[in-house]
Amino acid sequence: GGEDYELLFTARPEWEGLLAGLVRRLRVPVTRIGSVRPAREGIRLLTPEGRYRPLPPAAFEHFRKSGR
């Protein structure tokens, strides 16, 4: 009945070695899912074909009624 959660975080590229050691010591799985880029580049998704596709800005409206 429980839900699964994962923690999303960012780390500086120069911390990669330190983070790898911490991951090994704590035996916590970590998966790289992207990188933080300059804002002028916008948000992009990398497709399975290896191409970047722009992702338009969007937001979730918590109090909006569904169907409107």
Side-chain angles (χ1 to χ4, degrees), residues 1-57:
E3 296 183 28
D4 293 332
Y5 293 93
E6 291 191 30
L7 178 64
L8 176 66
F9 67 93
T10 61
R12 295 177 181 270
E14 60 267 24
W15 294 353
E16 187 172 359
L18 181 65
L19 181 59
L22 186 61
V23 165
R24 278 192 302 275
R25 189 171 44 151
L26 296 177
R27 297 181 184 167
V28 175
V30 173
T31 303
R32 178 178 288 169
I33 62 168
S35 60
V36 177
R37 310 294 303 162
R40 69 180 179 280
E41 293 183 19
I43 299 174
R44 304 178 301 165
L45 297 177
L46 181 59
T47 68
E49 296 79 27
R51 295 188 201 108
Y52 285 101
R53 182 173 63 96
L55 182 66

